[in-house]
Amino acid sequence: MTTFNKPYMTGRETEYIRLAVESGKISGNGIFTKRCQAFFEERYGFRKCLLTTSCTDALEMAAILTGVGPGDEVIVPSYTFVSSALAFVRQGAKIVFCDSFRDNPNIDPVEIEKLVSSRTKVIVPVHYAGVACDMDAIMDIARRHDLLVVEDAAQAIDSFYTGKDGVRRPLGSIGHLAAFSFHETKNIISGEGGMLVVNDPRFIRRAEIIWEKGTNRAEFFRGEVNKYGWVDTGSSFLPSEIVAAFLWAQLENLDRIQARRRQIWDSYHAQLSPFAARGEFSLPDIPGYATNNAHMFYLVFPDLEKRTKFIGDMKAQDVQCVFHYLALHASAFYAGKHDGRALPNCDRFADCLVRMPLFYELDPEIVVRAISKVCS
Ligand SMILES: *Cc1c(COP(=O)(O)O)cnc(C)c1O
């Protein structure tokens, strides 16, 4: 069986974990944590990085930092993972779900503009499949209405956006705050893991405090204060050094991992284009302002029935293909709180999108051969 995902190990994970264990310092914010955070700050110019136990936790930190609470509204795409919305729900905010573009699952800024009210505080663009949202348009709306932007960059490591000014910026560096995931299904992994990026310097000090259970311990360790104590809300958002050691083994190999994933993605794209030209399905849409970080290769079928048949037929060929998000506005938890607006593009992606296997050790020819049989 060709599975949908297979976590890739670079070979050094256990060695670095052993180093962390032998160092005698295995709680958070040690050498490996600092090394990983510095890697991101140097390579991508992120202002301040804090490793977290998951992207969900990074989003929760971001939600706390935005200061939203009851009575406030947060605009989130409906076609996304639960955490993009849940983090803000936990702070008491109301989620206003927004539709996707027609041609790709990212949030449509034209729809965002219609949803902004006097209660709106935050926009959460999710870079689906690691492909950039239309960030110029989103940042422009945010500036005009004095809103904060939290990028859900869970899938968007090593991907870029080129603005109208011609400058190419890494995803996660554009919003006030951003969250990445190192879950085992992402390009770079640590089992469970994530990272908060703080681009707006106003939030740096408080982010460190929230990260460390509401204490100013980080300042104490830097010698900036002579005792530390409870100064704010927060939680234990930082991962242990064991997780950071694993992550470092992955980051050292980022370019190699990305190159292989892109090769697989390109191979899919070249070989599946004739099927798309015949109208069997459509291929991922990468707007001119976005790069492709080969996080995901998806197909969009004309309807739910055709997608269901495809997944079954591929399974019969021993290849596991999976659909993706169920629309959050129609979820058991939120349907009753949603204002009833139809989100047709989101519904279509929920019904018609299917993800192909994509991992470092995959031979894409196996999948392409199976598709050739199924779609002959
Ligand atoms: C994976 C993912 C998350 C959650 O990441 P965790 O690290 O598992 O918490 C959030 N948002 C999006 C868009 C994701 O793909």
Side-chain angles (χ1 to χ4, degrees), residues 54-56 59 80-81 83-84 126 152 154-155 181-183 186 192-193 325:
S54 65
C55 179
T56 301
L59 288 164
T80 183
F81 190 61
S83 307
S84 320
V126 179
D152 182 338
Q155 307 173 8
S181 175
F182 308 119
H183 184 264
K186 307 300 202 270
E192 302 281 351
Y325 304 128

Side-chain angles (χ1 to χ4, degrees), residues 155-167:
Q155 307 173 8
I157 190 169
D158 202 45
S159 201
F160 298 82
Y161 171 80
T162 304
K164 289 192 207 78
D165 59 5
V167 179

Side-chain angles (χ1 to χ4, degrees), residues 202-219:
R202 284 179 298 170
F203 296 119
I204 292 176
R205 179 169 182 268
R206 188 160 187 237
E208 282 187 329
I209 289 167
I210 290 166
W211 191 54
E212 280 269 28
K213 302 102 179 160
T215 73
N216 55 350
R217 185 152 74 175
E219 290 174 342

Side-chain angles (χ1 to χ4, degrees), residues 73-193:
E73 293 178 358
V74 179
I75 298 176
V76 181
S78 181
Y79 193 74
T80 183
F81 190 61
V82 174
S83 307
S84 320
L86 177 60
F88 295 90
V89 167
R90 285 172 57 88
Q91 294 304 111
K94 175 172 191 271
I95 306 300
V96 177
F97 284 113
C98 187
D99 208 0
S100 304
F101 284 119
R102 228 195 67 81
D103 295 332
N104 83 55
N106 282 341
I107 195 165
D108 182 349
V110 172
E111 296 302 311
I112 296 177
E113 188 86 56
K114 295 180 196 162
L115 300 176
V116 173
S117 79
S118 58
R119 291 179 297 278
T120 307
K121 291 283 153 45
V122 182
I123 306 171
V124 185
V126 179
H127 305 297
Y128 186 77
V131 174
C133 293
D134 185 355
M135 292 308 290
D136 274 347
I138 292 168
M139 297 310 288
D140 179 57
I141 295 169
R143 259 187 301 272
R144 281 188 283 109
H145 298 279
D146 197 19
L147 311 176
L148 292 170
V149 173
V150 176
E151 296 178 69
D152 182 338
Q155 307 173 8
I157 190 169
D158 202 45
S159 201
F160 298 82
Y161 171 80
T162 304
K164 289 192 207 78
D165 59 5
V167 179
R168 189 169 176 264
R169 294 183 176 82
L171 300 187
S173 72
I174 304 165
H176 302 84
L177 298 158
F180 285 89
S181 175
F182 308 119
H183 184 264
E184 73 168 25
T185 51
K186 307 300 202 270
N187 292 25
I188 294 293
I189 62 176
S190 64
E192 302 281 351

Side-chain angles (χ1 to χ4, degrees), residues 75-366:
I75 298 176
V76 181
S78 181
Y79 193 74
T80 183
F81 190 61
V82 174
S83 307
S84 320
L86 177 60
F88 295 90
V89 167
R90 285 172 57 88
Q91 294 304 111
K94 175 172 191 271
I95 306 300
V96 177
F97 284 113
C98 187
D99 208 0
S100 304
F101 284 119
R102 228 195 67 81
D103 295 332
N104 83 55
N106 282 341
I107 195 165
D108 182 349
V110 172
E111 296 302 311
I112 296 177
E113 188 86 56
K114 295 180 196 162
L115 300 176
V116 173
S117 79
S118 58
R119 291 179 297 278
T120 307
K121 291 283 153 45
V122 182
I123 306 171
V124 185
V126 179
H127 305 297
Y128 186 77
V131 174
C133 293
D134 185 355
M135 292 308 290
D136 274 347
I138 292 168
M139 297 310 288
D140 179 57
I141 295 169
R143 259 187 301 272
R144 281 188 283 109
H145 298 279
D146 197 19
L147 311 176
L148 292 170
V149 173
V150 176
E151 296 178 69
D152 182 338
Q155 307 173 8
I157 190 169
D158 202 45
S159 201
F160 298 82
Y161 171 80
T162 304
K164 289 192 207 78
D165 59 5
V167 179
R168 189 169 176 264
R169 294 183 176 82
L171 300 187
S173 72
I174 304 165
H176 302 84
L177 298 158
F180 285 89
S181 175
F182 308 119
H183 184 264
E184 73 168 25
T185 51
K186 307 300 202 270
N187 292 25
I188 294 293
I189 62 176
S190 64
E192 302 281 351
M195 181 172 74
L196 176 74
V197 174
V198 185
N199 294 311
D200 184 332
R202 284 179 298 170
F203 296 119
I204 292 176
R205 179 169 182 268
R206 188 160 187 237
E208 282 187 329
I209 289 167
I210 290 166
W211 191 54
E212 280 269 28
K213 302 102 179 160
T215 73
N216 55 350
R217 185 152 74 175
E219 290 174 342
F220 174 71
F221 282 139
R222 283 197 298 265
E224 293 164 17
V225 291
N226 57 17
K227 59 181 191 310
Y228 79 87
W230 185 13
V231 295
D232 203 337
T233 187
S235 189
S236 189
F237 285 118
L238 69 175
S240 89
E241 276 288 286
I242 295 170
V243 171
F246 189 109
L247 182 62
W248 180 247
Q250 295 266 316
L251 289 177
E252 274 190 336
N253 290 280
L254 177 85
D255 289 323
R256 182 164 62 81
I257 291 169
Q258 288 298 91
R260 175 64 191 146
R261 292 185 72 105
R262 285 202 179 92
Q263 212 174 31
I264 294 168
W265 200 99
D266 290 344
S267 166
Y268 271 150
H269 194 268
Q271 298 190 72
L272 299 181
S273 286
F275 295 91
R278 288 207 317 251
E280 299 271 358
F281 44 69
S282 57
L283 300 180
D285 169 59
I286 317 256
Y289 51 69
T291 61
N292 167 33
N293 72 345
H295 172 61
M296 189 194 300
F297 197 94
Y298 65 81
L299 309 175
V300 183
F301 280 82
D303 56 48
L304 174 60
E305 213 169 89
K306 292 202 172 76
R307 182 186 73 174
T308 306
K309 180 170 187 310
F310 176 81
I311 292 174
D313 290 349
M314 288 296 279
K315 192 170 169 211
Q317 297 292 325
D318 243 18
V319 176
Q320 186 190 25
C321 300
V322 295
F323 56 84
H324 211 182
Y325 304 128
L326 303 169
L328 293 184
H329 71 280
S331 62
F333 185 66
Y334 223 83
K337 305 183 216 8
H338 179 64
D339 53 26
R341 271 173 307 111
L343 302 174
N345 295 332
C346 166
D347 287 342
R348 198 166 45 80
F349 289 116
D351 282 351
C352 305
L353 184 147
V354 58
R355 298 177 289 160
M356 299 296 104
L358 178 43
F359 51 87
Y360 190 94
E361 290 161 295
L362 174 73
D363 176 2
E365 301 308 320
I366 294 171

